[in-house]
């Protein structure tokens, strides 16, 4: 594909990814809510169609991460092929780790159905398995978010070096991504949570929305050192 096509595809995917990820997160937080594992399973059983929709959205986020990995690599590989490849690998890792939460959600949906009629020791076993799946999904998301932050940092740095997007936007992406490289692992081990985490994501959220719109509408500038010189043969 041409740089123009890759830029447009990346821009659309950024925006689409954000919309479906937020929708999936809101749905999942409501469906999996409850004071205990048993209550969460009961809530999942009552909202099975919404749970299936959340699972489909989660699978779409995997595809979006892979599309961004390839298109952003294509847009930055001429700046530094090794760094661009590393960043692409991080974004692919982000997509792959999304498989675990999807599988966990499928398992929870199955357990929620079984929990309706389970009693005694069977019910206790179902609750134990469900608790493990709930934690496993969270662990995988922490790993995926960390890989995403590292990949985003490198891509933002490459955009900054190439000056292929506005400098202020590239700096915003670099700063916001670096912040999440530090913050995300701390959240994973329980040192940071709640409002602090939400605020920390804000710069990166603004960067991705703005970059998505920029790539979709404006495209990408050819780096100065790659542009043909005046009077040269093309």
């Amino acid at each position: 594909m041409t740089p123009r096509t890759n830029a447009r595809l990346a821009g659309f995917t950024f925006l689409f990814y954000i919309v479906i990820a937020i929708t999936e997160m809101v749905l999942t937080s409501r469906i999996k809510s409850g004071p205990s594992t048993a209550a969460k399973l009961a809530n999942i059983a009552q909202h099975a169609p919404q749970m299936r929709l959340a699972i489909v959205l989660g699978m779409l986020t995997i595809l979006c991460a892979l599309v961004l990995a390839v298109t952003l690599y294509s847009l930055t590989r001429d700046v530094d092929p090794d760094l661009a490849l590393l960043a692409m690998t991080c974004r692919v890792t982000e997509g792959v780790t999304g498989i675990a939460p999807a599988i966990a959600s499928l398992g929870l949906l199955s357990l929620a159905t079984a929990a309706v009629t389970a009693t005694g020791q069977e019910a206790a076993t179902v609750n134990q398995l469900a608790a493990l799946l709930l934690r496993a999904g969270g662990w995988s998301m922490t790993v995926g978010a960390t890989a995403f932050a590292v990949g985003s940092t490198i891509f933002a740095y490459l955009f900054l070096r190439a000056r292929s997007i506005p400098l202020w936007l590239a700096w915003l992406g670099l700063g916001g991504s670096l912040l999440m490289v530090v913050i995300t692992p701390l959240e994973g081990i329980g040192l940071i949570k709640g409002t602090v985490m939400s605020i920390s994501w804000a710069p990166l959220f603004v960067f991705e929305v703005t970059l998505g719109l920029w790539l979709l509408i404006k495209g990408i500038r050819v780096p100065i050192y790659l542009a043909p010189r005046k009077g040269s043969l093309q």
Side-chain angles (χ1 to χ4, degrees), residues 71-208:
T71 53
L72 293 177
Y73 168 76
S74 178
L75 295 174
T76 57
R77 63 186 174 186
D78 290 328
V79 183
D80 188 317
D82 295 329
L83 284 178
L85 182 60
L86 176 59
M88 182 181 73
T89 303
C90 289
R91 296 304 300 255
V92 169
T93 301
E94 169 200 347
V96 172
T97 54
I99 296 173
I103 294 175
S105 293
L106 286 168
L108 285 169
L109 184 58
S110 178
L111 289 174
T113 303
V116 175
T117 57
T119 57
Q121 183 59 41
E122 183 182 2
T125 301
V126 167
N127 287 337
Q128 289 174 355
L129 289 174
L132 177 60
L133 288 176
L134 287 167
R135 289 196 295 270
W139 296 333
S140 181
M141 289 178 64
T142 298
V143 174
T146 303
F148 154 75
V150 174
S152 181
T153 298
I154 299 173
F155 277 132
Y157 168 70
L158 293 175
F159 279 130
L160 182 63
R161 275 183 55 182
R163 298 174 181 266
S164 51
I165 62 174
L167 287 180
W168 67 267
L169 183 57
W171 277 114
L172 175 64
L174 182 60
S177 299
L178 280 172
L179 176 63
M180 295 316 301
V181 170
V182 176
I183 294 294
T184 304
L186 295 178
E187 182 199 23
I189 59 177
L191 295 181
I192 294 177
K193 59 182 66 177
T195 304
V196 174
M197 196 64 197
S198 299
I199 294 174
S200 299
W201 274 106
L204 196 51
F205 174 79
V206 173
F207 165 70
E208 293 217 327

